[in-house]
Tab-separated table of all heavy atoms in Angstrom:
chain	number	residue	atom	x	y	z
A	1	ILE	N	-62.556	43.988	14.565
A	1	ILE	CA	-62.934	43.079	15.644
A	1	ILE	C	-61.664	42.359	16.088
A	1	ILE	O	-60.957	41.775	15.255
A	1	ILE	CB	-63.984	42.046	15.173
A	1	ILE	CG1	-65.118	42.699	14.402
A	1	ILE	CG2	-64.508	41.233	16.352
A	1	ILE	CD1	-65.948	43.679	15.147
A	2	ILE	N	-61.367	42.380	17.397
A	2	ILE	CA	-60.123	41.772	17.875
A	2	ILE	C	-60.340	40.436	18.589
A	2	ILE	O	-59.379	39.690	18.768
A	2	ILE	CB	-59.336	42.748	18.781
A	2	ILE	CG1	-60.183	43.256	19.949
A	2	ILE	CG2	-58.797	43.905	17.973
A	2	ILE	CD1	-59.425	44.090	20.947
A	3	THR	N	-61.569	40.125	19.003
A	3	THR	CA	-61.846	38.829	19.630
A	3	THR	C	-63.224	38.333	19.214
A	3	THR	O	-64.039	39.087	18.716
A	3	THR	CB	-61.829	38.911	21.176
A	3	THR	OG1	-62.790	39.880	21.591
A	3	THR	CG2	-60.478	39.271	21.723
A	4	GLY	N	-63.462	37.039	19.433
A	4	GLY	CA	-64.762	36.455	19.128
A	4	GLY	C	-64.789	35.790	17.770
A	4	GLY	O	-63.772	35.670	17.086
A	5	LYS	N	-65.976	35.341	17.350
A	5	LYS	CA	-66.084	34.583	16.106
A	5	LYS	C	-65.906	35.443	14.865
A	5	LYS	O	-65.701	34.918	13.782
A	5	LYS	CB	-67.403	33.816	16.052
A	5	LYS	CG	-68.649	34.647	15.890
A	5	LYS	CD	-69.870	33.750	15.815
A	5	LYS	CE	-71.126	34.563	15.578
A	5	LYS	NZ	-72.303	33.712	15.499
A	6	HIS	N	-65.965	36.768	14.993
A	6	HIS	CA	-65.779	37.676	13.859
A	6	HIS	C	-64.393	38.320	13.893
A	6	HIS	O	-64.183	39.360	13.279
A	6	HIS	CB	-66.863	38.746	13.858
A	6	HIS	CG	-68.238	38.191	13.768
A	6	HIS	ND1	-68.738	37.641	12.614
A	6	HIS	CD2	-69.217	38.051	14.695
A	6	HIS	CE1	-69.962	37.206	12.828
A	6	HIS	NE2	-70.276	37.445	14.093
A	7	LYS	N	-63.449	37.698	14.595
A	7	LYS	CA	-62.098	38.237	14.758
A	7	LYS	C	-61.442	38.508	13.402
A	7	LYS	O	-61.504	37.695	12.493
A	7	LYS	CB	-61.251	37.238	15.537
A	7	LYS	CG	-59.844	37.698	15.814
A	7	LYS	CD	-59.101	36.664	16.621
A	7	LYS	CE	-57.696	37.135	16.930
A	7	LYS	NZ	-56.997	36.162	17.769
A	8	GLY	N	-60.845	39.701	13.272
A	8	GLY	CA	-60.143	40.069	12.056
A	8	GLY	C	-60.983	40.817	11.048
A	8	GLY	O	-60.445	41.419	10.115
A	9	GLN	N	-62.296	40.815	11.198
A	9	GLN	CA	-63.166	41.514	10.252
A	9	GLN	C	-63.216	43.002	10.586
A	9	GLN	O	-63.037	43.397	11.730
A	9	GLN	CB	-64.572	40.932	10.268
A	9	GLN	CG	-64.650	39.510	9.777
A	9	GLN	CD	-66.067	38.973	9.790
A	9	GLN	OE1	-66.989	39.605	10.287
A	9	GLN	NE2	-66.233	37.783	9.228
A	10	THR	N	-63.454	43.817	9.567
A	10	THR	CA	-63.554	45.256	9.772
A	10	THR	C	-64.925	45.752	9.314
A	10	THR	O	-65.569	45.113	8.486
A	10	THR	CB	-62.467	46.010	8.980
A	10	THR	OG1	-62.611	45.713	7.602
A	10	THR	CG2	-61.075	45.642	9.450
A	11	GLY	N	-65.340	46.870	9.866
A	11	GLY	CA	-66.629	47.445	9.496
A	11	GLY	C	-66.777	48.851	10.036
A	11	GLY	O	-65.911	49.358	10.739
A	12	ILE	N	-67.903	49.459	9.717
A	12	ILE	CA	-68.200	50.826	10.139
A	12	ILE	C	-69.271	50.785	11.218
A	12	ILE	O	-70.247	50.047	11.101
A	12	ILE	CB	-68.671	51.663	8.935
A	12	ILE	CG1	-67.539	51.753	7.907
A	12	ILE	CG2	-69.119	53.048	9.360
A	12	ILE	CD1	-67.932	52.364	6.601
A	13	ILE	N	-69.096	51.584	12.265
A	13	ILE	CA	-70.045	51.615	13.380
A	13	ILE	C	-71.347	52.242	12.918
A	13	ILE	O	-71.375	53.332	12.363
A	13	ILE	CB	-69.468	52.380	14.574
A	13	ILE	CG1	-68.286	51.600	15.131
A	13	ILE	CG2	-70.528	52.597	15.646
A	13	ILE	CD1	-67.627	52.218	16.309
A	14	LYS	N	-72.440	51.513	13.167
A	14	LYS	CA	-73.772	51.947	12.763
A	14	LYS	C	-74.538	52.570	13.928
A	14	LYS	O	-75.304	53.500	13.747
A	14	LYS	CB	-74.518	50.717	12.234
A	14	LYS	CG	-75.761	50.978	11.491
A	14	LYS	CD	-76.271	49.675	10.896
A	14	LYS	CE	-77.558	49.883	10.167
A	14	LYS	NZ	-78.081	48.629	9.653
A	15	ASN	N	-74.326	52.031	15.142
A	15	ASN	CA	-75.081	52.472	16.318
A	15	ASN	C	-74.260	52.176	17.571
A	15	ASN	O	-73.518	51.196	17.606
A	15	ASN	CB	-76.421	51.730	16.365
A	15	ASN	CG	-77.366	52.294	17.386
A	15	ASN	OD1	-77.129	53.362	17.940
A	15	ASN	ND2	-78.439	51.584	17.648
A	16	ILE	N	-74.404	53.002	18.613
A	16	ILE	CA	-73.714	52.797	19.884
A	16	ILE	C	-74.758	52.700	20.993
A	16	ILE	O	-75.633	53.550	21.099
A	16	ILE	CB	-72.740	53.953	20.180
A	16	ILE	CG1	-71.698	54.046	19.065
A	16	ILE	CG2	-72.072	53.763	21.528
A	16	ILE	CD1	-70.833	55.271	19.132
A	17	ILE	N	-74.678	51.624	21.794
A	17	ILE	CA	-75.599	51.420	22.916
A	17	ILE	C	-74.791	51.630	24.196
A	17	ILE	O	-74.150	50.709	24.695
A	17	ILE	CB	-76.216	50.006	22.875
A	17	ILE	CG1	-76.843	49.756	21.503
A	17	ILE	CG2	-77.237	49.831	23.994
A	17	ILE	CD1	-77.159	48.312	21.225
A	18	THR	N	-74.801	52.860	24.720
A	18	THR	CA	-73.944	53.199	25.855
A	18	THR	C	-74.380	52.526	27.152
A	18	THR	O	-73.546	52.210	27.987
A	18	THR	CB	-73.900	54.727	26.078
A	18	THR	OG1	-75.224	55.224	26.188
A	18	THR	CG2	-73.190	55.421	24.950
A	19	ALA	N	-75.664	52.274	27.321
A	19	ALA	CA	-76.154	51.654	28.557
A	19	ALA	C	-75.620	50.236	28.739
A	19	ALA	O	-75.439	49.782	29.864
A	19	ALA	CB	-77.678	51.638	28.555
A	20	LYS	N	-75.340	49.548	27.641
A	20	LYS	CA	-74.856	48.161	27.708
A	20	LYS	C	-73.415	48.007	27.242
A	20	LYS	O	-72.922	46.888	27.140
A	20	LYS	CB	-75.751	47.265	26.849
A	20	LYS	CG	-77.167	47.164	27.364
A	20	LYS	CD	-77.967	46.196	26.527
A	20	LYS	CE	-79.380	46.049	27.047
A	20	LYS	NZ	-80.160	45.115	26.251
A	21	ASN	N	-72.729	49.111	26.944
A	21	ASN	CA	-71.352	49.091	26.432
A	21	ASN	C	-71.225	48.241	25.175
A	21	ASN	O	-70.311	47.432	25.046
A	21	ASN	CB	-70.369	48.608	27.501
A	21	ASN	CG	-70.265	49.564	28.658
A	21	ASN	OD1	-70.333	50.765	28.475
A	21	ASN	ND2	-70.125	49.036	29.851
A	22	LYS	N	-72.149	48.400	24.250
A	22	LYS	CA	-72.140	47.621	23.015
A	22	LYS	C	-72.238	48.530	21.808
A	22	LYS	O	-72.703	49.658	21.902
A	22	LYS	CB	-73.293	46.620	23.012
A	22	LYS	CG	-73.130	45.541	24.084
A	22	LYS	CD	-74.190	44.501	23.987
A	22	LYS	CE	-74.052	43.465	25.067
A	22	LYS	NZ	-73.125	42.405	24.724
A	23	VAL	N	-71.763	48.015	20.663
A	23	VAL	CA	-71.852	48.745	19.402
A	23	VAL	C	-72.418	47.824	18.332
A	23	VAL	O	-72.263	46.610	18.404
A	23	VAL	CB	-70.477	49.288	18.944
A	23	VAL	CG1	-69.960	50.340	19.883
A	23	VAL	CG2	-69.468	48.172	18.791
A	24	VAL	N	-73.079	48.408	17.348
A	24	VAL	CA	-73.595	47.665	16.205
A	24	VAL	C	-72.740	48.066	15.012
A	24	VAL	O	-72.568	49.257	14.740
A	24	VAL	CB	-75.082	47.999	15.951
A	24	VAL	CG1	-75.587	47.295	14.710
A	24	VAL	CG2	-75.917	47.605	17.162
A	25	ILE	N	-72.191	47.063	14.312
A	25	ILE	CA	-71.298	47.298	13.191
A	25	ILE	C	-71.943	46.754	11.922
A	25	ILE	O	-72.513	45.663	11.937
A	25	ILE	CB	-69.931	46.637	13.435
A	25	ILE	CG1	-69.346	47.161	14.749
A	25	ILE	CG2	-68.984	46.897	12.281
A	25	ILE	CD1	-68.147	46.417	15.236
A	26	GLU	N	-71.839	47.510	10.817
A	26	GLU	CA	-72.454	47.111	9.556
A	26	GLU	C	-71.930	45.763	9.078
A	26	GLU	O	-70.719	45.542	9.031
A	26	GLU	CB	-72.169	48.160	8.469
A	26	GLU	CG	-73.045	49.374	8.567
A	26	GLU	CD	-72.809	50.360	7.427
A	26	GLU	OE1	-72.078	50.037	6.483
A	26	GLU	OE2	-73.356	51.464	7.524
A	27	ASN	N	-72.853	44.858	8.717
A	27	ASN	CA	-72.563	43.539	8.145
A	27	ASN	C	-71.704	42.637	9.026
A	27	ASN	O	-71.040	41.741	8.531
A	27	ASN	CB	-71.926	43.678	6.755
A	27	ASN	CG	-72.843	44.404	5.798
A	27	ASN	OD1	-74.051	44.221	5.819
A	27	ASN	ND2	-72.278	45.249	4.969
A	28	ILE	N	-71.704	42.871	10.339
A	28	ILE	CA	-70.997	42.012	11.287
A	28	ILE	C	-72.024	41.498	12.290
A	28	ILE	O	-72.921	42.218	12.697
A	28	ILE	CB	-69.886	42.783	12.038
A	28	ILE	CG1	-68.919	43.441	11.072
A	28	ILE	CG2	-69.157	41.890	13.030
A	28	ILE	CD1	-67.935	42.539	10.386
A	29	ASN	N	-71.893	40.248	12.714
A	29	ASN	CA	-72.777	39.613	13.690
A	29	ASN	C	-74.234	39.623	13.200
A	29	ASN	O	-75.143	40.078	13.887
A	29	ASN	CB	-72.646	40.293	15.058
A	29	ASN	CG	-73.229	39.455	16.177
A	29	ASN	OD1	-73.384	38.256	16.043
A	29	ASN	ND2	-73.556	40.090	17.285
A	30	ILE	N	-74.439	39.119	11.990
A	30	ILE	CA	-75.778	39.062	11.392
A	30	ILE	C	-76.618	38.013	12.118
A	30	ILE	O	-76.186	36.888	12.312
A	30	ILE	CB	-75.704	38.712	9.889
A	30	ILE	CG1	-74.869	39.743	9.132
A	30	ILE	CG2	-77.083	38.595	9.280
A	30	ILE	CD1	-75.461	41.123	9.063
A	31	GLN	N	-77.817	38.403	12.538
A	31	GLN	CA	-78.739	37.518	13.233
A	31	GLN	C	-80.044	37.438	12.454
A	31	GLN	O	-80.446	38.405	11.816
A	31	GLN	CB	-79.000	38.029	14.653
A	31	GLN	CG	-77.750	38.058	15.499
A	31	GLN	CD	-77.979	38.700	16.853
A	31	GLN	OE1	-78.991	39.340	17.089
A	31	GLN	NE2	-77.017	38.539	17.739
A	32	THR	N	-80.693	36.285	12.524
A	32	THR	CA	-81.956	36.074	11.824
A	32	THR	C	-83.109	36.321	12.788
A	32	THR	O	-83.109	35.803	13.897
A	32	THR	CB	-82.038	34.636	11.285
A	32	THR	OG1	-80.897	34.404	10.470
A	32	THR	CG2	-83.280	34.432	10.459
A	33	LYS	N	-84.094	37.116	12.349
A	33	LYS	CA	-85.267	37.421	13.168
A	33	LYS	C	-86.511	36.986	12.414
A	33	LYS	O	-86.710	37.361	11.252
A	33	LYS	CB	-85.319	38.916	13.465
A	33	LYS	CG	-86.445	39.311	14.387
A	33	LYS	CD	-86.383	40.788	14.722
A	33	LYS	CE	-87.520	41.142	15.655
A	33	LYS	NZ	-87.500	42.550	16.020
A	34	HIS	N	-87.348	36.182	13.049
A	34	HIS	CA	-88.599	35.720	12.458
A	34	HIS	C	-89.725	36.609	12.969
A	34	HIS	O	-89.873	36.804	14.173
A	34	HIS	CB	-88.873	34.264	12.863
A	34	HIS	CG	-87.838	33.317	12.364
A	34	HIS	ND1	-88.004	32.563	11.242
A	34	HIS	CD2	-86.603	33.014	12.822
A	34	HIS	CE1	-86.933	31.828	11.032
A	34	HIS	NE2	-86.057	32.082	11.982
């Protein structure tokens, strides 16, 4: 990760969302869902 609050962290790509130009990375940007 080169920018944002997770800058400097590394991980493996889990999923790619091409329609939104986004990627999901293992154990990065963890969000809580109720």
Side-chain angles (χ1 to χ4, degrees):
I1 313 297
I2 55 174
T3 58
K5 70 178 183 180
H6 301 288
K7 182 178 181 177
Q9 295 181 353
T10 59
I12 297 171
I13 293 181
K14 194 173 178 183
N15 191 11
I16 300 171
I17 307 165
T18 53
K20 295 184 178 180
N21 294 324
K22 294 185 182 275
V23 294
V24 176
I25 304 169
E26 281 184 8
N27 300 322
I28 305 285
N29 196 21
I30 301 293
Q31 298 174 347
T32 305
K33 184 176 180 179
H34 297 261

